[in-house]
Structures are given as structure tokens and as C-alpha cells.
Amino acid sequence: MASTRAGRVPAAFAGRPRTVAAVRISKYTDVSTSPEVQEERIDAANNRVGGEIVGWARDLDISALKTTPWERKELAYYLDRPDTWDVMIWQRMDRAVRSMADMADLGRYARKHGKRLIFASGPGGDMLELDFSSPMSELIMLILAFAAQLEGQTIMERNQGAAAHLQSLGRWPGGVVPYGHVPGRRMFPDGNEGWWLFAHETEEPTQSTADIRRGMVARAIAGRNYSEILRWLVAMEAITPKNHRALLATPPRDPDPESRWRVTVVRDMLLSPVMRGHIVKRDGTTVRDENGAPILQGEALIDDDTWYALQEALTLLGNGTAGISRTDGHDLLGVVVCGVCEQHMWINWDAEKKGRKPNIVYTGVKNQVFRCNGAEHSEGVAGQSILADPVRQYAEEQFLEHMGPLRRTQVIRVPGVDHRSEIAELEADVKELSTRLGQLRGPAADAVAGQLQGRSDRLEELRAVPVTPPRDEVVELDTTWAQDWHATNDPRARLQMLLSVGARVVVMPPERWRPPVEERVTFEIGTHIDPEQDAQDEAAHQSSL
């Protein structure tokens, strides 16, 4: 019998005791301690004490080493409402706590409120109920909690060691599945099978996390801030990272309707090199081998050029409109080119601004001139120049005329699959090992035979994989080019729009004295896909087959 501040609690409850069944599991893949197994054991224990289950506290994917009972959402709900229940049952003590301190806190709570804590499987496999009216029970409780804590530390160290070993081999070490990927088994160059992260692509747009993540990248490169990307995710009802993990659990869990996207989640996902297939530490940095090369754990969702473009866009977003200064920076850098030497034209800063570090933010700067240094011209041919403001106006007018009405798109490059170099290496290895095998006997022959079999299996697997070239994935945004152009006055954002469609303003030498700008310049648009026209072209092609 335990005492409370309000008095004494009867040895027997009036009627059946009200039971809260508590289930916890760190990862939803362990069959021996799965929620279904725990629920079955808890039901049996509840029948033994004659209780009536009034609620289930199911905390899944929750570590007892990293959280106290009051930090688990569903369990905390009942702990904060002691008047609604009498008995709390777990399958085992390690399902409740893995810390002596947590067990002591739980014991004080039970003594204060007169609660019964029961574990369906105690030492020896029989049911264990803690009686907090006895000092000996408290000692037993702490000894058992110490054992659970020691076991938890041992498991954690073992898992960390296994993860480090798998990382060194270039395999997915397990843990939280990154958004955009799905784990699967594959054969590795050493002839052994292991886990690998594949791009998660489905026909359902709201579930295809690889495509959703690429859509986030496309919008960031296009100048959208984190809040705008968040609104897009919410509007399209994109599956959240938590529900993505629930979908991939074994067995799959029901989605959490309260799971929400957050700006911090959007930011962290865009900054993480996980989308390049890298193994990433908790601080967000890439795990590297002894040579400094990144260690991979899965397929890259975007190629390196797209990654660097994304980081530049995020840096610009963090710096505001000031952007990144460079000595030749101006608002049409990379767009205005000399028609004679095909070199980028630089800007002639006026004398009053001499000595300042050029940037592409212009305030009160007049009579600027784009110049070519003429280094690649024929001997005796001077570099040409042209007034900057008329060229800017011409570029804007032409861009809006050609691209303005079209829905804006952003091209994301997805890496291809080409194992030809690895196949060539494996073929050489198989040839060499076959030659060596004929010269060996006994254990040495057995060892070489194992190596030969492993490489042969890997070679057979790779030969069956077709070569897939890199592809450009065109992500259609929610606005037209004209809408985005008029929505910003940031020169860098507008420059990025021009560069993304391959716009060029080609400047030719004048054929007469001071001709208008239109006589010296031409506007070009690079390869650009209009989604509507592309669909029409594809339909026409199919009908002609």
C-alpha cells in the first residue's frame, strides 16, 4: 500500500482498476519487440490484474535513452492526468526507461499519486509489479533500471560501431531514412550485399519524395525563399518527412494527420548534402574517407552543377540583395558578349566611383559602358564598347517578349547510371583471379575462388543494368517569367532568370557613326522547354508512329 499527500490509498480499488497500456519502440522494424508483440503481452498482464484498459500510449520511433517518460507525447498525456487511471503496464522495463534517473523519477511519481507500475515480462519472464511502499522494492527497481541503462549503452555502442564499419564500406548504415530516398538491397563491388538508398520516385506526385525534393531545389534556384517553398509544399499536400518514414516502416504505419512542414525543415533539407548521396554527420557535414573523398550511401538526387547552383542561390538568399561581389560583376554578366571575340563584356565604372569594389547593385550610377578588352580581336582591332542602359532596356524588352507569357520552369539535372568503367575493372579482376586460381591449391585457392565468385556475381549484376544517361528534369513553377521579373527589383534575381533560359545579347561593332543600339545588338535564347509545346510535340510524334 502506497501513501499520497491526500491520505492513504485502499489496498484494493473499488471495481476494476483503470489501466493505461504503454508501448514504446525505437525503430519500427524489430519483430521481437514490435508494437503488436508488446500489446499482446500487455493484454495478458492486464487480464491477470483484472484491469480495464482505458487508454493506449503508443510512442513509436522514440528512444528511451534520449527521452524521459515526460518527453514522449502519448505517455506524457496520461502522466499529466493521474486522476484518469490507476495502473500503467509495459511489456518490459526497458520499454519504460533505460536510465536510473528516469526510473527514480517514475517511482517518485507513482508513490506520490498512488499508482501501480507493472511490467508484463520481468526477471525470469514472469510479471513484475513494483510496490513503492517498500524500500527493498525501490532498491530492486534501481538495480533493474541500472541493468536496462547498461544494456542500452551497450546496444548504442554496438550500433555506432556497426554504423562506422558500414560507412567505411560505402553502405547505408541504417537510421532515419532521408527524405527523397528509399532503402533497398544491392550488390557492392566487393561482392557482398548490403543496404543502399535509392531515389524514391512514384507515380503519385504528393508521395514521390525524390521529385518533391527536386521541386524544392528548383524553386530555391529560381529565387524562392524558404517560406515560399513551404507554402508550395503545403498547397500541394506533399507528404511530410515524418509520414514518409512511417510509409517506409515495416510494417507501414498510419500517417500522422498532425504532422506539418516547418520552415526549419525546408531550410535544413536544402542545405543538406544528403541529396547528393553523401553520408552526413549530425552537424550536417559530409563524412569523408582517408583521402578526403565523400563517402556515399545512396543515389544522388541532383548532379554537382545543380548542387553548386543551389548553394549559390541559398547564399544569395542569406545575404539579401547585396549578393556576392566580384571584380567584374554587373547585372548582365554572362549575358552581354562581344560578337567578335565571344568574350563577356565588362563594365566601365565612372570616375567618381573609381576604387570601389564593383557589385551589381547600382544607385545613382550613370553613363556606364559595357566594354570588350579586344584581347582576342585581330591585330590592330580595338575592343568595342556600348552604352549600358540602352542594352539593359533592350535585354529586358526582348526577354519579356520571348519568355514573359510562358510558365516559368527550372531545369534540374539528375545524374545518370553508367557502370562501364567498373565493368572494365571487374573484367580485368576476373581475368587475373582466374589465372591465379589455376596456380594455387588448398586454402589459398579457396580464398581466391571466393574473390573470383564475388567479382563474377557483381560483374553479372552490372552487365544487366542498362546505361542511363543524365537527364534534365524540367520543374514547372507557379508563375510566368513576366510575373517573376516584375515581382523583383533585385538585379541578381533578374540576371539568374536570363542565364537560366540561355539568354545572350550579342554586341557587334558599329557600321556607322553612333547607330542606335538595336542596329548593334541581337538577342538569343538558348535551349528552353515550353511544357505545353513539348507535350504537343510529343503527341504529334506519337501519332506519326
Side-chain angles (χ1 to χ4, degrees):
M1 184 165 57
S3 62
T4 69
R5 292 181 183 178
R8 300 183 65 79
V9 178
F13 293 97
R16 300 177 65 186
R18 299 165 297 172
T19 301
V20 170
V23 174
R24 184 200 62 79
I25 191 169
S26 297
K27 294 181 182 177
Y28 206 110
T29 54
D30 188 351
V31 176
S32 64
T33 56
S34 69
E36 293 78 13
V37 172
Q38 294 184 45
E39 290 170 9
E40 181 180 343
R41 305 280 173 80
I42 291 170
D43 273 328
N46 180 63
N47 290 335
R48 286 183 62 180
V49 300
E52 179 180 357
I53 295 179
V54 296
W56 287 85
R58 295 182 176 89
D59 293 296
L60 309 181
D61 285 333
I62 300 294
S63 168
L65 278 171
K66 300 177 182 178
T67 62
T68 69
W70 284 266
E71 291 173 332
R72 302 168 206 160
K73 183 177 179 181
E74 296 204 9
L75 182 60
Y77 175 86
Y78 291 102
L79 292 175
D80 291 340
R81 295 163 176 79
D83 296 336
T84 63
W85 58 277
D86 308 303
V87 180
M88 187 169 286
I89 304 179
W90 287 270
Q91 179 202 9
R92 296 195 310 262
M93 182 174 287
D94 62 355
R95 298 300 97 198
V97 296
R98 282 196 182 273
S99 162
M100 293 177 65
D102 290 346
M103 189 70 250
D105 290 340
L106 202 57
R108 282 191 291 268
Y109 171 91
R111 185 188 306 110
K112 172 184 175 181
H113 296 287
K115 302 302 178 185
R116 298 165 65 186
L117 303 183
I118 297 176
F119 305 99
S121 301
D126 197 13
M127 188 178 75
L128 170 67
E129 178 174 353
L130 296 177
D131 178 7
F132 294 99
S133 65
S134 167
M136 187 57 67
S137 292
E138 291 193 44
L139 177 60
I140 294 173
M141 170 194 73
L142 291 177
I143 292 173
L144 294 174
F146 172 74
Q149 178 175 326
L150 186 62
E151 181 188 17
Q153 291 291 342
T154 303
I155 291 172
M156 183 174 66
E157 292 171 3
R158 185 170 66 242
N159 289 342
Q160 289 174 345
H165 176 65
L166 290 174
Q167 287 179 5
S168 68
L169 297 176
R171 289 154 170 74
W172 180 55
V176 176
V177 180
Y179 196 85
H181 287 94
V182 57
R185 304 287 288 180
R186 57 159 283 192
M187 197 70 100
F188 287 87
D190 59 7
N192 294 316
E193 190 180 83
W195 287 101
W196 184 252
L197 293 175
F198 297 90
H200 182 228
E201 298 171 336
T202 69
E203 295 182 358
E204 171 54 49
T206 62
Q207 305 285 321
S208 185
T209 56
D211 293 324
I212 292 170
R213 197 155 188 170
R214 293 183 191 122
M216 296 168 63
V217 171
R219 282 160 175 78
I221 294 176
R224 304 291 194 269
N225 60 37
Y226 299 129
S227 296
E228 290 173 315
I229 296 172
L230 172 65
R231 287 194 290 271
W232 169 71
L233 289 167
V234 172
M236 76 166 294
E237 298 181 350
I239 187 172
T240 64
K242 179 179 180 180
N243 287 334
H244 168 63
R245 294 193 297 271
L247 184 69
L248 300 180
T250 306
R253 301 195 303 273
D254 292 333
D256 180 1
E258 297 183 2
S259 179
R260 298 287 184 269
W261 284 95
R262 298 286 184 268
V263 169
T264 53
V265 174
V266 173
R267 180 198 63 204
D268 292 346
M269 286 176 59
L270 288 171
L271 290 171
S272 174
V274 160
M275 72 177 81
R276 303 177 73 189
H278 294 182
I279 296 178
V280 178
K281 303 176 186 176
R282 290 187 178 180
D283 61 3
T285 58
T286 296
V287 177
R288 299 183 180 275
D289 61 19
E290 64 275 8
N291 299 319
I295 299 178
L296 302 182
Q297 64 178 354
E299 295 179 349
L301 302 182
I302 57 175
D303 74 343
D304 290 343
D305 290 341
T306 303
W307 168 259
Y308 295 130
L310 171 64
Q311 300 313 301
E312 183 177 351
L314 296 178
T315 301
L316 178 60
L317 178 62
N319 291 342
T321 57
I324 305 171
S325 298
R326 51 179 291 178
T327 56
D328 61 346
H330 62 79
D331 56 343
L332 291 182
L333 179 65
V335 176
V336 177
V337 297
C338 172
V340 179
C341 64
E342 292 289 318
Q343 299 297 309
H344 297 316
M345 300 186 73
W346 50 280
I347 203 158
N348 179 41
W349 299 94
D350 68 6
E352 295 180 5
K353 302 293 181 180
K354 195 173 183 180
R356 63 168 277 182
K357 235 181 178 182
N359 201 307
I360 63 167
V361 177
Y362 307 97
T363 305
V365 180
K366 299 179 180 179
N367 300 321
Q368 292 173 331
V369 174
F370 290 130
R371 292 187 181 279
C372 169
N373 60 22
E376 303 297 328
H377 291 195
S378 302
E379 185 176 351
V381 178
Q384 58 177 325
S385 62
I386 191 169
L387 284 174
D389 282 344
V391 174
R392 291 185 183 116
Q393 182 178 352
Y394 172 81
E396 178 176 355
E397 292 172 351
Q398 293 296 311
F399 173 77
L400 293 176
E401 179 182 341
H402 288 82
M403 302 300 303
L406 299 178
R407 181 69 65 89
R408 186 174 179 181
T409 58
Q410 183 66 49
V411 177
I412 299 297
R413 194 164 182 80
V414 181
V417 177
D418 189 347
H419 295 295
R420 284 176 292 188
S421 59
E422 187 178 349
I423 288 174
E425 292 180 4
L426 287 170
E427 288 174 339
D429 287 348
V430 168
K431 184 177 181 180
E432 178 190 353
L433 290 171
S434 299
T435 303
R436 288 174 55 192
L437 185 61
Q439 303 169 352
L440 300 173
R441 295 191 305 274
D446 293 340
V448 171
Q451 296 175 1
L452 177 60
Q453 186 62 52
R455 282 164 172 75
S456 298
D457 291 343
R458 174 65 174 165
L459 180 59
E460 183 179 356
E461 177 194 2
L462 293 185
R463 282 174 171 169
V465 178
V467 174
T468 305
R471 74 178 192 273
D472 287 341
E473 186 169 301
V474 181
V475 179
E476 186 172 301
L477 306 185
D478 310 317
T479 54
T480 65
W481 290 98
Q483 288 172 331
D484 277 1
W485 183 274
H486 293 304
T488 180
N489 290 320
D490 180 3
R492 278 193 179 273
R494 289 184 169 183
L495 174 60
Q496 183 58 42
M497 292 185 210
L498 292 167
L499 293 174
S500 65
V501 300
R504 288 207 323 167
V505 176
V506 181
V507 181
M508 300 301 296
E511 296 183 355
R512 59 190 178 92
W513 178 250
R514 291 187 176 179
V517 168
E518 291 77 6
E519 291 186 10
R520 295 187 54 193
V521 295
T522 55
F523 185 82
E524 301 174 356
I525 288 287
T527 302
H528 178 79
I529 298 177
D530 175 2
E532 183 176 345
Q533 185 61 46
D534 182 58
Q536 294 176 357
D537 293 343
E538 177 65 19
H541 173 70
Q542 293 297 330
S543 63
S544 64
L545 296 179

